[in-house]
Amino acid sequence: MASTSRASAHRIGSLLFCPACGTLLDLPKDDEDEIACAQCGRLEPSSSYENLPTKTYSSPTAFPSALRSKRALVQDQLTDGERAKEKDPVAQEKCQKCGNIGLSYKVMQLRSADEGSTVFYKCLKCGDQTSVNN
Ligand SMILES: [Zn+2]
Ligand SMILES: [Zn+2]
């Protein structure tokens, strides 16, 4: 019954990104069952958060160790096929949060090819994640 190609939010580790515009979605509040995309207003059911690898953290810095969340990240990407078996490349970029040099990155093609791609960076030290639209 369930299809793997339904249009739900893109999951990167414990983060969800709007499938329509690629914006990072907020965490749902206790009394909300939908999260509205700040960019395009698309509604994502907060149930999308329920099976995330880490659902209880109170601050953006409270990610699990970089290695563990990197593993979760790779497993999430497995469903997307392509780059799955490869190890993430590492860019000699500086983390905005902790100043560490060395961010693993991956390029993700969002829905349509003519909208360009999004590069997701992840700090190998503190796990801080950022995305850049090309
Ligand atoms: Zn959006
Ligand atoms: Zn960092």
Side-chain angles (χ1 to χ4, degrees), residues 18 20-23 37 39-42:
C18 176
C21 70
T23 298
C37 172
Q39 192 68 34
C40 72
R42 183 190 179 281

Short mmCIF file of all heavy atoms in Angstrom, two decimals, residues 18 20-23 37 39-42, ligand 1:
data_model
loop_
_atom_site.label_atom_id
_atom_site.label_comp_id
_atom_site.label_asym_id
_atom_site.label_seq_id
_atom_site.Cartn_x
_atom_site.Cartn_y
_atom_site.Cartn_z
N CYS A 18 11.33 21.15 3.18
CA CYS A 18 10.14 21.26 2.36
C CYS A 18 10.38 20.62 0.99
O CYS A 18 11.35 20.95 0.32
CB CYS A 18 9.77 22.73 2.19
SG CYS A 18 8.38 22.99 1.09
N ALA A 20 8.75 21.07 -1.62
CA ALA A 20 8.42 22.00 -2.71
C ALA A 20 9.53 23.01 -2.95
O ALA A 20 9.87 23.30 -4.10
CB ALA A 20 7.12 22.72 -2.39
N CYS A 21 10.11 23.55 -1.89
CA CYS A 21 11.09 24.62 -2.09
C CYS A 21 12.41 24.34 -1.38
O CYS A 21 13.36 25.10 -1.56
CB CYS A 21 10.52 25.96 -1.64
SG CYS A 21 10.34 26.10 0.14
N GLY A 22 12.50 23.29 -0.60
CA GLY A 22 13.78 22.93 0.00
C GLY A 22 14.13 23.68 1.27
O GLY A 22 15.22 23.53 1.79
N THR A 23 13.19 24.45 1.79
CA THR A 23 13.46 25.19 3.03
C THR A 23 13.42 24.26 4.24
O THR A 23 12.60 23.35 4.30
CB THR A 23 12.38 26.29 3.21
OG1 THR A 23 12.49 27.19 2.11
CG2 THR A 23 12.58 27.05 4.51
N CYS A 37 5.54 25.53 5.89
CA CYS A 37 6.84 25.96 5.37
C CYS A 37 6.91 27.49 5.44
O CYS A 37 6.00 28.18 4.97
CB CYS A 37 7.01 25.49 3.94
SG CYS A 37 8.48 26.18 3.13
N GLN A 39 8.76 29.37 3.85
CA GLN A 39 9.06 29.95 2.56
C GLN A 39 7.85 29.94 1.62
O GLN A 39 7.48 30.95 1.05
CB GLN A 39 10.22 29.18 1.92
CG GLN A 39 10.82 29.84 0.70
CD GLN A 39 11.55 31.13 1.06
OE1 GLN A 39 12.14 31.24 2.12
NE2 GLN A 39 11.48 32.11 0.19
N CYS A 40 7.23 28.77 1.45
CA CYS A 40 6.18 28.67 0.45
C CYS A 40 4.82 28.34 1.05
O CYS A 40 3.82 28.30 0.35
CB CYS A 40 6.54 27.62 -0.62
SG CYS A 40 6.45 25.92 -0.03
N GLY A 41 4.75 28.09 2.35
CA GLY A 41 3.48 27.87 3.00
C GLY A 41 2.93 26.46 2.89
O GLY A 41 1.84 26.17 3.38
N ARG A 42 3.68 25.56 2.26
CA ARG A 42 3.22 24.19 2.15
C ARG A 42 3.10 23.58 3.55
O ARG A 42 3.92 23.82 4.42
CB ARG A 42 4.22 23.38 1.33
CG ARG A 42 3.76 21.96 1.10
CD ARG A 42 4.90 21.15 0.49
NE ARG A 42 4.49 19.77 0.29
CZ ARG A 42 4.45 18.85 1.25
NH1 ARG A 42 4.80 19.16 2.47
NH2 ARG A 42 4.07 17.62 0.98
ZN ZN B 1 8.39 25.28 1.02
#
